[in-house]
Amino acid sequence: MTSSADEPQAPTGRTSRGPLHMIGNAHIDATWLWPWQEGYREARTTFSSALDRIAEYDGFAFSCDSVAYLAWIEEHDPELFARLQAEVAAGRFEIVGGWWVEPDCNIPSGESLARHGLYSQRYLVEKFGRPATIGCNVDPFGQNATIPQLLAKAGMSSYVFMRPQAHEKAMPAQTFRWHAADGSTVLTYRIPHEYCSPAGHLDLHVRRALAQLPHTEAPLMCFYGVGNHGGGPTKDNIESILALDGRNQFPRMRFSTIADFFAAVRDRDDTPDFTGEIQPHAVGCYSVHSGIKQWLRQTENALQAAEKWSTVASVLDGSPALTGEFERGWRQVLLNHFHDTAAGTALPSAYEEARDQLGEARAIAARAQNRAVQSITRRIAIAEQDGTAPLVVLNPHPWPVTATAEVEFGGALGEGDYAAETAGGVVPVQQVRSTTTTGGRRRLLVPVSVPALGYRLYRLRRATTTAPVPASGDELTLENAHLRVTIDPANGFVSSLLDKESGIDVMRGASGAHAVVLDDPSDTWGHGVVGYSDVIGSFRPTSVRRVLAGPVRDSVRVESRFGGSTLVEEFRLDRDARALEVRVRIDWHERFTMLKLRFPTALSGVVSTHAIPYGHLRRAIGGHEAPAQSWVDVSGRLGEAPAGLSVLNNAKYGVDVYAGDIGLTTVRSPAYAWHDPAPRPGEDAEFIDQGEQRFTYRLLPHGGDWRRSGTVRAAAELNQPVRALLESAHGSGDLAAEASFAAQSGDDAIVISVLKFAEDGSGDVIVRGYETAGAPASGALELSFLERTVELEFSPHEIKTVRVPRDPSASVTETDLIEGLLAPPPA
């Protein structure tokens, strides 16, 4: 094949390059422009073809990078699976990845990415006798900064990726050592040009790859094979490699595996280092399709909370561990982390499937949690008391939580005002609008204080006196012991947010619209976009009014409109709250536009910090779009005083920070699965996020920086709230009116996120947490339900996992994300 003059030309003389390791692969999108059932079939077809090529060509090898596809084959084609096992053992079918799929690497939580390693590596050892040692995410849209730690602690020492590519993000070299903030390291390679190739001759494909590769005698790597919809290397691909290897203008080319490549470069002393995230690519993916983002967040948190309660209940009552059920739920989550699914870039039908699959996982979590908590609450000694209704409030976090529990019940207590009494005294209860008044249903707000990973019993009863309502001189001012908040009727947003403890008001004097609409003609991915700044308007208030005033909660509701869309924000300040909660309801009908909720501050000298999976990252301020998990913070100065604002949320991921103002990307509405060019006016296309959605954010002002404000724990409490359960009197019981089953002490920067049984069936309990402030931290976790205390020492940014045997005489040991799984040595 002769290349045209405008094609990249490789220099003559093979001594200047290579050798070039040619990696046969077939990138398979589980779902994208097709349903997952089609991806399921294509995995079988592709792997069968790869085995045929292995049989036909000496030296040819194939690399597979997603464990889910192997599980699919095992599920429906045992004969093919046995052939795969044989070729894996022979070293001709290489398994890399070590994660269930190639997930989006910004949307999943840190624990979700840990579960990719846990379930995938255990599967590989069980079915193939060895774990993967190489992580592989060639297609996901950016790489978060925690990945090296997540890989290293799941048994992987190397990593391959492609996006962002060289024109989007400069890296120190094609091969480099990538360090996480805790010091974990993986040897990393960015593949050039593309992960897949045409079905025919590879001359042009290899030339384009070489044009992006350095002129070095060090080993290099090039991927080939028909991909996306699967297919793998063709006979023409393989024959062309044999032919090109004999041409002087190409480096020496060899059929290879990714493991062989890394073995060849691992000990080189000229490999540079890199620390941090590798972004951006396709920034629109942080926010497009609100539904999948919210479903994933809800399901991840539901499974983690259910695991905690199920573990405690199983130890207390001897019921069987639900390890297998939780794995089934997590597998549904992991499958829907697939990059085109979680990113929002697949067809509409993909999200109908995702909704149902994640709904199944949430149902597993709901059943397990209900079974667990009711097995606990039925054992609480609750004596019969006329005129009262027992209410048990449960806290899923290993630190005490003060919150407002919301509960609905029938009219057994009759009309009138209510109170709640506990061992600590009587607290006022506020009645609010119920979902329905049929059957005398009532909805109550109960201020509660609940022990660490435990419960407290309250008794609801008719109040003998009416609780006083705090006086307010201004219907648009909300105030409690910690905050004073004023809503501006002109723009429908907060004009003053006073933190009484520090005396700081981060919003007084700040200006700018709140609910801002921006033009966004970019494609579904947001290709070529760095940030969104083309403002075309903002929502204007049509109603601003006080809707609640009571002893537990005050709230102001703002209704706004833009074009054919409406926005309702209810600003709620509860009695004991340190953050202003805002419940959001959007009915959106705009196209090729974006809604950002902006939070202007009066801060100067600002630094911006974003939550990332199991960590945080300081990012530059300049209005660029960035991915964040459940919180983002700006900290700086207000006059001479240090101050800041954290914005917490339970559903969103795209943010920007500009001059001290945070922007939370709330809705983005391109057409489904469209690359450029966009649909023409009048063209029959379906647009994303049309209709109603709801979510919640909280504004947490603080003096000092975010570390002093409890930002990380506050975000966890928003995403895993306390749960209120109406109980019945049942006389005797062996549990007290309140209890804590797992309680942290020591440094508040330690956040314990996981309490579960070990996967090996030993009955040992796994505890996982991470250090959140970027400094050494120490503490203890008292596991009263096990009658054990675990001492904890964390280095900065560390994710730590420990194994706690049920036998109190056995030692607590530190383990890894795959729970100490060891593969037998290769045969």
Side-chain angles (χ1 to χ4, degrees):
M1 179 181 290
T2 303
S3 60
S4 62
D6 60 349
E7 291 295 346
Q9 302 294 308
T12 61
R14 54 173 62 169
T15 57
S16 64
R17 312 295 291 276
L20 188 61
H21 291 246
M22 299 298 294
I23 307 300
N25 83 113
H27 178 73
I28 301 173
D29 283 336
T31 182
W32 177 31
L33 306 179
W34 44 83
W36 71 265
Q37 294 90 337
E38 197 167 324
Y40 188 100
R41 185 213 68 211
E42 190 54 42
R44 181 183 75 246
T45 304
T46 298
F47 292 168
S48 179
S49 173
L51 293 178
D52 289 344
R53 300 295 83 77
I54 287 172
E56 293 164 351
Y57 291 94
D58 289 341
F60 169 77
F62 180 86
S63 298
C64 163
D65 70 355
S66 293
V67 176
Y69 305 153
L70 300 169
W72 284 352
I73 299 299
E74 182 193 19
E75 183 177 74
H76 78 283
D77 194 338
E79 181 181 352
L80 177 59
F81 191 72
R83 293 174 61 199
L84 290 174
Q85 288 176 310
E87 292 300 339
V88 169
R92 303 281 300 278
F93 191 100
E94 178 187 40
I95 298 175
V96 295
W99 285 359
W100 201 244
V101 293
E102 286 191 22
D104 184 283
C105 293
N106 291 307
I107 303 303
S109 68
E111 184 55 29
S112 288
L113 294 175
R115 298 304 173 104
H116 274 278
L118 173 66
Y119 297 124
S120 301
Q121 295 285 56
R122 298 192 71 84
Y123 179 87
L124 292 178
V125 168
E126 178 185 351
K127 304 301 180 181
F128 296 95
R130 67 192 75 185
T133 60
I134 300 164
C136 187
N137 285 314
V138 298
D139 200 19
F141 312 136
Q143 317 290 321
N144 80 73
T146 322
I147 285 176
Q149 184 176 185
L150 292 163
L151 291 173
K153 291 188 173 179
M156 288 170 273
S157 58
S158 307
Y159 188 56
V160 181
F161 77 100
M162 188 180 76
R163 308 187 196 280
Q165 294 175 288
H167 67 281
E168 298 168 302
K169 172 73 174 181
M171 299 304 297
Q174 207 74 29
T175 305
F176 56 94
R177 290 186 177 88
W178 187 14
H179 302 270
D182 77 311
S184 299
T185 303
V186 288
L187 186 60
T188 300
Y189 183 84
R190 176 163 63 185
I191 68 172
H193 180 45
E194 280 289 350
Y195 50 76
C196 57
S197 68
H201 202 282
L202 294 180
D203 179 295
L204 183 57
H205 175 74
V206 174
R207 289 180 185 274
R208 286 176 169 168
L210 289 171
Q212 295 181 13
L213 290 171
H215 292 265
T216 176
E217 295 181 11
L220 300 168
M221 186 161 55
C222 176
F223 280 43
Y224 72 98
V226 179
N228 287 336
H229 196 265
T234 65
K235 293 182 179 181
D236 285 346
N237 287 166
I238 296 170
E239 294 287 353
S240 69
I241 292 173
L242 296 172
L244 292 172
D245 185 47
R247 295 186 185 178
N248 284 336
Q249 68 265 39
F250 288 91
R252 175 63 64 190
M253 299 166 64
R254 53 169 292 194
F255 298 124
S256 190
T257 64
I258 303 173
D260 284 346
F261 168 78
F262 280 118
V265 300
R266 184 165 302 280
D267 295 330
R268 293 183 64 91
D269 57 10
D270 59 350
T271 305
D273 298 301
F274 176 81
T275 301
E277 64 181 343
I278 306 177
Q279 311 274 15
H281 175 85
V283 301
C285 294
Y286 310 149
S287 50
V288 72
H289 205 292
S290 297
I292 189 63
K293 269 63 169 184
Q294 187 169 51
W295 304 332
L296 283 169
R297 180 82 68 85
Q298 290 171 341
T299 311
E300 290 166 341
N301 281 282
L303 285 167
Q304 283 180 250
E307 282 179 329
K308 297 173 197 174
W309 288 118
S310 182
T311 303
V312 170
S314 181
V315 171
L316 292 180
D317 66 14
S319 58
L322 303 179
T323 309
E325 289 189 36
F326 285 122
E327 181 174 356
R328 283 191 290 275
W330 276 109
R331 282 192 180 190
Q332 295 287 47
V333 175
L334 305 186
L335 178 64
N336 283 285
H337 285 147
F338 182 76
H339 48 273
D340 283 306
T341 308
T345 56
L347 295 178
S349 60
Y351 298 101
E352 296 173 7
E353 297 279 7
R355 176 200 60 211
D356 295 345
Q357 291 162 352
L358 293 170
E360 179 187 3
R362 287 197 299 279
I364 289 171
R367 286 193 299 270
Q369 178 161 310
N370 179 68
R371 187 185 314 162
V373 299
Q374 296 220 35
S375 76
I376 294 170
T377 61
R378 70 177 176 82
R379 294 171 56 183
I380 302 172
I382 305 176
E384 187 79 43
Q385 285 188 12
D386 290 341
T388 69
L391 179 72
V392 182
V393 184
L394 300 108
N395 166 25
H397 304 288
W399 58 84
V401 169
T402 297
T404 300
E406 300 189 19
V407 59
E408 286 205 11
F409 66 100
L413 297 181
E415 298 285 349
D417 294 318
Y418 297 89
E421 60 185 18
T422 185
V426 178
V427 294
V429 170
Q430 185 173 340
Q431 186 170 344
V432 296
R433 181 180 177 182
S434 173
T435 306
T436 177
T437 57
T438 302
R441 296 285 290 179
R442 290 174 176 78
R443 188 172 187 83
L444 301 183
L445 306 178
V446 184
V448 297
S449 181
V450 192
L453 215 164
Y455 66 83
R456 175 164 282 154
L457 172 66
Y458 290 82
R459 289 183 181 272
L460 300 175
R461 60 172 173 78
R462 293 279 301 277
T464 55
T465 59
T466 301
V469 177
S472 173
D474 183 350
E475 283 297 297
L476 301 185
T477 295
L478 311 174
E479 187 168 1
N480 66 10
H482 308 293
L483 299 176
R484 186 171 70 238
V485 182
T486 301
I487 308 298
D488 182 354
N491 67 7
F493 189 58
V494 178
S495 60
S496 174
L497 181 60
L498 176 67
D499 173 24
K500 292 184 176 181
E501 179 181 348
S502 64
I504 297 240
D505 189 340
V506 294
M507 289 187 169
R508 182 168 295 281
S511 61
H514 167 55
V516 178
V517 182
L518 301 99
D519 184 41
D520 175 21
S522 63
D523 66 16
T524 315
W525 290 256
H527 281 123
V529 174
V530 175
Y532 299 93
S533 58
D534 191 0
V535 177
I536 58 174
S538 61
F539 277 76
R540 300 296 184 186
T542 57
S543 171
V544 182
R545 59 193 176 94
R546 175 75 73 100
V547 292
L548 279 181
V552 181
R553 173 178 294 163
D554 288 356
S555 64
V556 170
R557 181 178 299 149
V558 176
E559 300 174 7
S560 305
R561 176 173 290 277
F562 174 88
S565 302
T566 58
L567 169 67
V568 178
E569 291 183 281
E570 187 167 314
F571 297 85
R572 298 178 168 185
L573 188 62
D574 289 355
R575 188 182 79 161
D576 300 312
R578 293 182 176 273
L580 174 68
E581 179 171 293
V582 186
R583 301 278 180 96
V584 181
R585 184 173 79 247
I586 306 164
D587 188 11
W588 181 256
H589 298 282
E590 315 307 315
R591 298 178 172 185
F592 293 122
T593 52
M594 167 188 285
L595 171 62
K596 272 189 177 288
L597 297 182
R598 299 213 66 87
F599 308 104
T601 72
L603 298 168
S604 61
V606 169
V607 296
S608 174
T609 308
H610 300 65
I612 64 173
Y614 268 155
H616 68 271
L617 193 67
R618 181 178 291 186
R619 291 191 174 114
I621 292 172
H624 60 280
E625 194 78 355
Q629 295 266 314
S630 57
W631 61 271
V632 60
D633 179 83
V634 288
S635 292
R637 303 193 74 80
L638 198 60
E640 296 301 315
L645 174 70
S646 295
V647 178
L648 325 173
N649 79 86
N650 68 354
K652 302 298 176 183
Y653 294 88
V655 300
D656 68 14
V657 177
Y658 184 79
D661 298 354
I662 295 172
L664 183 67
T665 306
T666 305
V667 186
R668 183 172 175 263
S669 291
Y672 275 94
W674 277 83
H675 273 296
D676 288 333
R680 295 181 295 274
E683 190 168 0
D684 186 17
E686 191 168 348
F687 287 79
I688 301 176
D689 275 357
Q690 302 296 291
E692 187 172 290
Q693 61 169 282
R694 299 168 186 251
F695 74 100
T696 300
Y697 67 84
R698 289 177 181 167
L699 303 180
L700 177 62
H702 55 83
D705 75 0
W706 58 272
R707 294 168 181 83
R708 295 181 54 196
S709 70
T711 292
V712 182
R713 289 188 175 186
E717 291 168 18
L718 171 61
N719 282 271
Q720 287 184 40
V722 299
R723 175 182 176 179
L725 176 67
L726 281 169
E727 252 298 348
S728 58
H730 38 248
S732 62
D734 61 343
L735 295 180
E738 65 179 72
S740 170
F741 301 111
Q744 284 184 241
S745 59
D747 201 317
D748 287 348
I750 298 172
V751 170
I752 300 298
S753 54
V754 171
L755 187 71
K756 62 182 282 292
F757 282 118
E759 299 296 318
D760 59 11
S762 63
D764 293 351
V765 171
I766 298 294
V767 174
R768 183 155 39 251
Y770 67 112
E771 193 285 316
T772 65
S778 61
L781 180 65
E782 182 182 359
L783 299 169
S784 59
F785 74 109
L786 293 176
E787 299 182 340
R788 303 204 64 161
T789 298
V790 179
E791 300 296 331
L792 298 169
E793 295 285 342
F794 284 76
S795 60
H797 306 282
E798 182 183 11
I799 305 165
K800 185 183 288 291
T801 307
V802 298
R803 178 185 285 265
V804 185
R806 296 277 292 278
D807 180 357
S809 67
S811 298
V812 174
T813 57
E814 184 173 343
T815 186
D816 50 33
L817 295 177
I818 56 178
E819 300 178 9
L821 181 69
L822 295 176

